[in-house]
């Protein structure tokens, strides 16, 4: 089986510094989602970003894939970057991070699972969304996702970056987005995470309706070395809403490991 073709940026930061690989949420481009976090992290790390198929700089998908496939594709990237690395991913990027912990823990120094869950909703919910996108396109989701993605006041406080993220959603390749939904329909690592030894930080947004605190606690409680941290006044896209706070928590966690 051919693994997804994922675009990955060249690392930026001090020569010889540890590598941090940052991953996206469904419907976003990592360069936008992490835009205000990268300058902070790259003062002490070499920071690279990857994009989902059909999102940001990645080519559209040509075949179905699973979250395991995304993790396996990233594992090849990590080996080229120079394993082990630090990882942080949001939502589906966090799901991929959990699969890395399960399948390729030896390639990670530590993993931050940001605004993510060990299982998202029901399979039916995702297959219905995939069908909706194939019929109507990603722009049909913009209004609803604006409410899920951002905490009260975030759009007013950060209109440029929140607007660009919603444009990312509109610009995502419809079929690739639908295939991501189908990958999420099958995603469930609640049992597979148990006893994993990679250090894990499960970060949640205070107002996140998609991946609430309870989901972060499930992730942190399943692994051998996990903890949770909340980001106040943030929802599902905390790195865009509260970049300084997210960066500070990541640095604290990475420095511990």
């Amino acid at each position: 089986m051919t693994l997804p073709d994922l675009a990955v940026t060249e690392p930026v930061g001090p020569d010889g510094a540890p590598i941090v690989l940052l991953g996206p949420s469904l419907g976003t481009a990592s360069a936008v989602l992490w835009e205000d976090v990268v300058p902070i992290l790259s003062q002490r790390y070499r920071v690279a970003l990857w994009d989902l198929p059909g999102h940001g700089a990645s080519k559209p998908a040509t075949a179905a894939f699973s979250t395991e496939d995304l993790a396996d594709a990233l594992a090849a990237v990590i080996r080229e970057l120079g394993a082990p690395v630090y990882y942080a991913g949001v939502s589906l990027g966090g799901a991929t991070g959990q699969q890395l912990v399960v399948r390729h823990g030896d390639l990670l120094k530590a993993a931050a699972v940001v605004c993510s869950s060990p299982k998202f909703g029901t399979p039916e919910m995702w297959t219905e969304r995939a069908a909706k996108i194939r019929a109507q396109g990603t722009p049909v989701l913009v209004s609803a996702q604006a409410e899920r993605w951002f905490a009260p006041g975030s759009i007013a406080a950060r209109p440029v970056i929140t607007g660009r993220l919603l444009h990312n959603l509109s610009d995502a390749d419809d079929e690739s987005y639908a295939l991501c939904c189908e990958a999420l329909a099958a995603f469930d690592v609640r049992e597979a995470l148990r006893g994993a030894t990679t250090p894990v930080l499960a970060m949640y947004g205070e107002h996140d309706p998609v991946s609430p605190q309870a989901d972060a606690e499930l992730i942190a409680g399943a692994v051998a070395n996990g903890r949770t941290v909340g980001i106040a006044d943030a929802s599902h896209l905390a790195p865009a809403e509260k970049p300084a706070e997210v960066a500070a928590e990541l640095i604290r966690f990475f420095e511990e490991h």
Side-chain angles (χ1 to χ4, degrees):
M1 181 175 180
T2 302
L3 293 177
D5 184 5
L6 306 177
V8 183
T9 64
E10 287 293 321
V12 295
D15 289 344
I19 290 174
V20 172
L21 179 59
L22 301 177
S25 172
L26 176 59
T28 72
S30 278
V32 181
L33 178 59
W34 292 98
E35 182 174 280
D36 294 325
V37 175
V38 170
I40 302 171
L41 294 183
S42 62
Q43 293 177 34
R44 64 178 75 199
Y45 304 107
R46 297 174 63 216
V47 182
L49 306 101
W50 70 275
D51 279 320
L52 290 162
H55 294 63
S58 285
K59 297 176 182 177
T62 57
F65 55 86
S66 64
T67 55
E68 291 93 335
D69 294 331
L70 290 174
D72 291 351
L74 271 191
V77 168
I78 290 169
R79 292 186 182 98
E80 290 182 7
L81 288 172
V85 304
Y86 295 113
Y87 180 82
V90 181
S91 195
L92 178 49
T96 307
Q98 291 172 76
Q99 292 286 18
L100 283 171
V101 166
V102 170
R103 298 169 68 82
H104 304 286
D106 59 313
L107 301 181
L108 305 176
K109 294 182 179 181
V113 177
V114 182
C115 302
S116 192
S117 302
K119 179 181 186 293
F120 292 84
T122 65
E124 294 77 16
M125 179 188 85
W126 290 109
T127 55
E128 288 171 7
R129 187 186 291 190
K132 183 175 185 177
I133 294 309
R134 288 188 173 108
Q136 302 179 50
T138 56
V140 74
L141 297 177
V142 168
S143 178
Q145 292 301 82
E147 295 182 6
R148 295 188 189 99
W149 281 359
F150 306 120
S154 284
I155 291 177
R158 311 206 76 217
V160 175
I161 196 164
T162 55
R164 289 171 63 207
L165 286 164
L166 292 170
H167 278 294
N168 283 169
L169 176 58
S170 292
D171 292 341
D173 175 65
D174 294 340
E175 179 61 17
S176 298
Y177 188 103
L179 291 171
C180 286
C181 291
E182 290 168 346
L184 283 168
F187 172 71
D188 185 349
V189 291
R190 289 175 294 179
E191 292 301 321
L193 279 174
R194 295 192 183 281
T197 57
T198 301
V200 172
L201 176 67
M203 186 183 300
Y204 62 91
E206 178 187 10
H207 300 285
D208 190 350
V210 180
S211 298
Q213 180 178 351
D215 285 9
E217 291 172 349
L218 279 174
I219 294 166
V223 299
N225 184 3
R227 67 176 177 87
T228 63
V229 65
I231 303 297
D233 300 319
S235 186
H236 196 55
L237 299 189
E241 296 177 281
K242 295 292 178 181
E245 292 85 345
V246 169
E249 294 294 349
L250 290 178
I251 290 169
R252 186 176 297 114
F253 173 61
F254 294 154
E255 291 301 296
E256 290 174 2
H257 304 284

